[in-house]
Amino acid sequence: MRVAVIGGGPGGLYAAALLQRLGPARQITVYERNAPEDTFGFGVVLSDETLGGIEHADPQVYAALRAQFVRWDGIDLVHRGRTLRSTGHGFAALSRRRLLAVLHERCRELGVELRFGAQAPPAAALAATHDLVIAADGAHSATRAAYAEVLRPRIEEHRCRYIWLSAPFALDAFRFEIAETEHGVAQLHGYPYAPDASTVIVELREEVWRRMGLAGLGEEESAERCAKLFAGALDGRPLTGNRSQWTAFRTVVCERWSAGNTVLLGDAAHTAHFSVGSGTKLAVEDALALAACLGEHPSLPEALAAYEAERRPVVASTQRAAQASREWFEELRRHVDQPPYRLAFNLLTRSRRITHGNLRLRDPEFVGAVEAEAGIPPDTPPMFTPLRLRGLTLRNRVVCSPMDMYSAVDGLPGDFHLVHLGARALGGAGLVMTEMVCVSPEGRITPGCTGLWNGEQEAAWRRIADFVHASAPGTALGVQLGHAGRKGSTKPMWEGMDEPLPAGNWPLLAPSPLPYRPGSQTPHALTAVELAGVRGQFAEATRRAARAGFDLLELHCAHGYLLSSFLSPLTNHRTDAYGGGLAARLRFPLEVLDAVRAAWPPERPLTVRISATDWARGGTTADDAVEIARALAAHGADAVDVSTGQVVADERPRYGRSYQTPYAERIRAEAGVPVIAVGAISSWDDVNSLLLAGRTDLCALARPHLYDPHWTLHAAAEQGYTGPAAPWPLPYRAGSRTPPTGRTDAPKPRLTL
């Protein structure tokens, strides 16, 4: 096999070394356009997991690297003259130049041909004369560009400018320092990589970078300005560059990683923001996986397919974490006024890779200080602290999210709803929400949706509320009122979500005559008379909800239903007073909110669910969502339930763990209104983390409550919490301990022979 490697960075070199070691007869050539001693950047951080893979695959390389490592376990946040340290994290770093030297030496020992100062021939030319071409030519990969039609890369440039520099001493921890200037916020990311040297990255928002006069400065002037900005961290010592320049980070995502016998590796295939330290790590892990797959599969196409299948989920997970981390630093100005320990905790948990639970294991003293600052009682997980909204005190921060059951007849909730909602109320959540309850027969999503447009429905809901209050005292029951708008008259989800009914359709209402998707029924635009009628339907349903005994009411202004479709410019094309700019698009939802608030008892809280982004070009943005939340709060909303999307059918969401939470966090910080976070929050550890970091006030969970109606009580048991925020119903108290399983107390081996 003849193999050409384009790019002599760590990933390309390590792939060459592994392939040569596993196949000594292979002819492998590495093309590197720079000289052997040339390198960009300074230090490289590798995880224990990556090092374990290197040790297993090539003990000689591992031994050479291990001898060079600088190790530390602390992370410092320096802000407003105060340093807070968290320990127990475990890092290993070394000079990038030394890493390359180790890999150069290993490649030469094994017989790899290294061609330095040599521009690689075009990938297509190499592919014609080699069995395999590995493109490890970095984030600006020419190979990726040449095969763009096949690989279909997406490249997104981000908001901050940053520069890589070096300090002539070793920091004793991973250091994050915040500098607040008259021009805006700047941050330093620093870590040691040698006994006498540290990497220092300075990062700023683009507009701050320009206001500070850094645009256009050369390497030396930039280093001097950064050294002055962070003089305290450097103790007056200088910063130096290495062909350093200000740049904006670019995220690279490719739909495919190979084209014929050419395969991408490392930054050529994917990038992850430097704040999670994953570039070299991912490239080395790519090399390990590629070498293994080539040995495990009989043909090159099978091997390349297996390589991509193995690595893509890992890379996607890392990119999601990197996105969360990058966005946190991009919005640093939003966090700087948090209390010191909360800010530090927020920083540490920004990527969702570190959570309340594992941070408590790493550094219980630090977590204890965060909780004490937040006023959380000892031995109380954050999720089991109370929250007051108007006259209602929720005993914990868990919400059983609204979930459409599509199991009603003529809008009437029956025994199914009693059991469904009653079980979840007995399960310990502080607030249990109904599904969207429709204000009129025409406002239903499906024929199976519940309603509150007549007295029979009101009595049925009162039966459920009475059961919850009698059998699960302390649990609040909330009702979500809504109107389906253009998304109505469809089949139940399990028969074909958003598909029109085969027969018996009813006419649809919307701000504009736009079908939800091709094949959907076209609604007609609401007239002034119909607008008044819908307002009245919401007000009358609210009065019924109050008489039925609900503790909290939520107005559904999300997910493309009627009120949501007024808010989005993609679904509201009106030219009257209810369309146009955001203030006009808000007019009708606010009129409905005013009518609902007037009909709802003043001591009972009212929340509003919104879609904080449409996930579509030209739709509602995060900036809009903040303004919407401000307006809702000004009209009497006590909290905003922050969801996203489902407004237009051609949306492109970025799914991931707690992926909607950043929108809630921003609204909480900028609009100053309590928020409910929702969306792929699945563990009690996530709930504790989000609450303690100050990203939300309540966490709403849907699918976990379908899987386990007693999710909250089980979360209490698993954390050893037995306090008043999660009381077990008396008939269930015998089950409050985790059931025993098989024996785990067998004697441990005492000797290793």
Side-chain angles (χ1 to χ4, degrees), residues 348-395:
L348 291 169
T349 59
R350 68 192 182 279
S351 72
R352 309 177 194 123
R353 289 285 176 91
I354 297 177
T355 64
H356 174 267
N358 54 44
L359 191 54
R360 177 176 284 281
L361 290 174
R362 298 180 191 196
D363 192 345
E365 184 177 340
F366 174 82
V367 174
V370 181
E371 293 174 344
E373 180 189 72
I376 295 173
D379 302 318
T380 301
M383 64 187 294
F384 294 119
T385 55
L387 179 70
R388 187 172 181 84
L389 295 172
R390 290 202 182 223
L392 176 67
T393 298
L394 301 175
R395 67 187 178 197

Side-chain angles (χ1 to χ4, degrees), residues 654-675:
R654 292 182 174 178
Y655 293 118
R657 186 161 133 248
S658 57
Y659 68 105
Q660 297 176 151
T661 302
Y663 296 94
E665 181 179 14
R666 180 172 179 185
I667 287 171
R668 186 179 191 269
E670 296 186 15
V673 58
V675 296

Side-chain angles (χ1 to χ4, degrees), residues 634-705:
H635 284 253
D638 299 295
V640 178
D641 187 352
V642 186
S643 187
T644 63
Q646 301 179 53
V647 175
V648 292
D650 59 347
E651 64 179 3
R652 293 180 64 92
R654 292 182 174 178
Y655 293 118
R657 186 161 133 248
S658 57
Y659 68 105
Q660 297 176 151
T661 302
Y663 296 94
E665 181 179 14
R666 180 172 179 185
I667 287 171
R668 186 179 191 269
E670 296 186 15
V673 58
V675 296
I676 305 169
V678 63
I681 303 170
S682 56
S683 73
W684 49 259
D685 197 14
D686 285 339
V687 174
N688 286 329
S689 301
L690 295 172
L691 292 167
L692 193 57
R695 296 178 187 145
T696 187
D697 299 279
L698 292 163
C699 288
L701 300 93
R703 288 179 178 85
H705 280 110

Side-chain angles (χ1 to χ4, degrees), residues 466-676:
D466 288 347
F467 174 85
V468 169
H469 294 144
S471 301
T475 299
L477 183 65
V479 61
Q480 185 187 69
L481 290 184
H483 188 297
R486 70 175 188 157
K487 294 179 75 175
S489 192
T490 60
K491 299 176 182 178
M493 177 175 58
W494 47 84
E495 293 180 9
M497 195 164 109
D498 297 323
E499 293 181 9
L501 293 170
N505 286 280
W506 53 85
L508 302 182
L509 305 173
S512 302
L514 303 170
Y516 177 61
R517 66 182 191 183
S520 295
Q521 184 184 162
T522 299
H524 81 265
L526 283 152
T527 66
V529 172
E530 289 170 327
L531 289 169
V534 170
R535 281 197 303 271
Q537 290 169 348
F538 271 97
E540 184 56 32
T542 298
R543 285 186 280 271
R544 290 194 177 98
R547 292 193 297 265
F550 287 105
D551 303 294
L552 176 146
L553 185 146
E554 179 165 283
L555 188 62
H556 202 333
C557 293
H559 299 169
Y561 298 125
L562 182 63
L563 300 181
S564 168
S565 61
F566 271 89
L567 294 173
S568 172
L570 296 177
T571 52
N572 183 347
H573 293 180
R574 298 177 75 100
T575 57
D576 62 3
Y578 294 99
L582 180 58
R585 300 197 307 274
L586 263 164
R587 182 175 177 180
F588 185 62
L590 291 178
E591 288 178 355
V592 173
L593 175 57
D594 289 341
V596 168
R597 182 70 268 181
W600 187 240
E603 73 279 3
R604 298 189 207 178
L606 189 157
T607 67
V608 182
R609 173 170 280 200
I610 67 170
S611 286
T613 176
D614 292 344
W615 297 114
R617 187 182 298 275
T620 299
T621 67
D623 291 340
D624 294 335
V626 173
E627 294 306 313
I628 291 168
R630 287 194 179 112
L632 296 173
H635 284 253
D638 299 295
V640 178
D641 187 352
V642 186
S643 187
T644 63
Q646 301 179 53
V647 175
V648 292
D650 59 347
E651 64 179 3
R652 293 180 64 92
R654 292 182 174 178
Y655 293 118
R657 186 161 133 248
S658 57
Y659 68 105
Q660 297 176 151
T661 302
Y663 296 94
E665 181 179 14
R666 180 172 179 185
I667 287 171
R668 186 179 191 269
E670 296 186 15
V673 58
V675 296
I676 305 169

